[in-house]
């Protein structure tokens, strides 16, 4: 099975900072990668699918890139509402494995 | 408006069984593949199971294979997860979510808590 590894596990940043989260697949997943945001006590929310396609209503400060085995989620200017945990998910094939998550904390 | 409502969670003893349901509305349920995802307390998201629009193919995470069974009833707009031989490590909030190759998992339920404890 393909494993997904995110880094860092925790990230401390300030409002206005540019933030980058990395997700690595143990083998190529082409561009079949999604990113989710989750806040405490809430269901995950889809941000980006197919590596770089922004879900409707998601602010343009979120950007996804990559292909094959290495992917990134970039938040260009961190806003107060962005402090949350972020997960990548690979979805080629019949397994839809998540990364372990990256918690973005207030510095 | 898309709605997914999970039910059936609760407290169960180790070795016991539970059946989760996910009622779908606001979209063409029979056109969407579906997944179950769980989240243990304080932990990350774990994909549990996948089912195609017709009910086959299906797939499971290794951690639940042979113990959990996913199914759907398109006539009732419902998704199910039969969980047998439950263990303490199955304690989690269980979410159902839509899945599409064109939009990944764009819609989620609110989750239902399963607690496995004696």
């Amino acid at each position: 099975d393909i494993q997904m590894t995110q880094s860092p596990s925790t990230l401390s940043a300030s409002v206005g900072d540019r933030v980058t989260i990395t997700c690595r697949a143990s083998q190529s997943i082409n561009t079949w990668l999604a990113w989710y945001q989750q806040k405490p006590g809430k269901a995950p929310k889809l941000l980006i699918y197919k590596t770089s396609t922004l879900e409707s209503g998601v602010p343009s400060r979120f950007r996804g890139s990559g292909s094959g085995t290495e992917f990134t989620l970039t938040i260009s200017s961190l806003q107060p509402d962005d402090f949350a945990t972020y997960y990548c998910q690979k979805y080629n094939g019949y397994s839809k494995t998540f990364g372990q998550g990256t918690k973005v904390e207030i510095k | 408006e898309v709605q997914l409502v999970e039910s059936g969670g609760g407290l169960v003893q180790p070795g016991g069984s539970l059946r989760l349901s996910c009622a779908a509305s606001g979209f063409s349920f029979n056109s969407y593949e579906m997944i179950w995802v769980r989240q243990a307390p304080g932990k990350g998201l774990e994909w549990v199971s996948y089912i195609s629009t017709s009910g086959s193919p299906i797939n499971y995470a290794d951690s639940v294979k042979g113990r959990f069974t996913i199914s759907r009833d398109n006539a009732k707009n419902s998704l199910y997860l039969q969980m047998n031989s439950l263990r303490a490590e199955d304690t989690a909030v269980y979410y159902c979510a839509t899945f599409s190759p064109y939009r990944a998992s764009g819609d989620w339920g609110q989750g239902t808590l399963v607690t496995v404890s004696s």
Side-chain angles (χ1 to χ4, degrees):
Chain A
D1 283 354
I2 298 175
Q3 306 303 315
M4 305 301 293
T5 304
Q6 280 182 242
S7 60
S9 298
T10 307
L11 189 159
S12 296
S14 302
V15 172
D17 284 354
R18 180 184 180 89
V19 163
T20 298
I21 299 168
T22 297
C23 179
R24 289 187 172 88
S26 59
Q27 55 185 277
S28 177
I29 58 170
N30 200 327
T31 55
W32 299 108
L33 187 100
W35 290 96
Y36 300 85
Q37 177 192 67
Q38 188 182 34
K39 296 183 178 179
K42 300 293 188 182
K45 172 189 172 185
L46 176 66
L47 296 176
I48 289 169
Y49 56 94
K50 206 59 166 60
T51 294
S52 59
T53 303
L54 219 57
E55 169 73 343
S56 177
V58 173
S60 58
R61 61 181 179 272
F62 290 92
R63 180 176 174 269
S65 63
S67 68
T69 62
E70 187 150 340
F71 303 85
T72 58
L73 172 68
T74 300
I75 309 172
S76 59
S77 178
L78 200 64
Q79 298 302 300
D81 190 50
D82 302 337
F83 291 98
T85 301
Y86 294 84
Y87 296 91
C88 63
Q89 179 200 35
K90 75 95 176 171
Y91 60 95
N92 63 315
Y94 300 128
S95 297
K96 317 297 182 189
T97 310
F98 291 91
Q100 79 275 22
T102 296
K103 185 176 182 179
V104 177
E105 298 180 327
I106 300 173
K107 191 172 184 178
Chain B
E1 179 196 1
V2 172
Q3 261 205 316
L4 296 169
V5 180
E6 301 94 338
S7 61
L11 176 63
V12 62
Q13 292 189 335
S17 298
L18 217 51
R19 189 196 197 205
L20 305 184
S21 299
C22 171
S25 61
F27 66 104
S28 297
F29 179 71
N30 58 7
S31 298
Y32 279 81
E33 300 159 56
M34 299 292 293
I35 63 173
W36 286 99
V37 175
R38 69 184 181 183
Q39 187 168 38
K43 302 297 185 182
L45 301 175
E46 180 187 14
W47 166 74
V48 172
S49 187
Y50 158 89
I51 188 167
S52 68
T53 55
S54 64
S56 180
I58 59 178
N59 197 22
Y60 301 96
D62 288 345
S63 57
V64 306
K65 204 170 287 184
R67 301 186 299 123
F68 289 12
T69 302
I70 190 172
S71 62
R72 65 190 297 161
D73 186 335
N74 287 340
K76 294 184 177 180
N77 289 340
S78 292
L79 174 73
Y80 306 102
L81 186 69
Q82 177 67 42
M83 304 186 297
N84 298 332
S85 303
L86 283 162
R87 306 165 180 167
E89 53 264 36
D90 296 318
T91 294
V93 174
Y94 285 74
Y95 296 99
C96 65
T98 57
F99 176 76
S100 162
Y102 310 107
R103 194 181 158 236
S105 289
D107 299 289
W108 295 67
Q110 84 290 349
T112 187
L113 176 63
V114 172
T115 304
V116 184
S117 175
S118 54

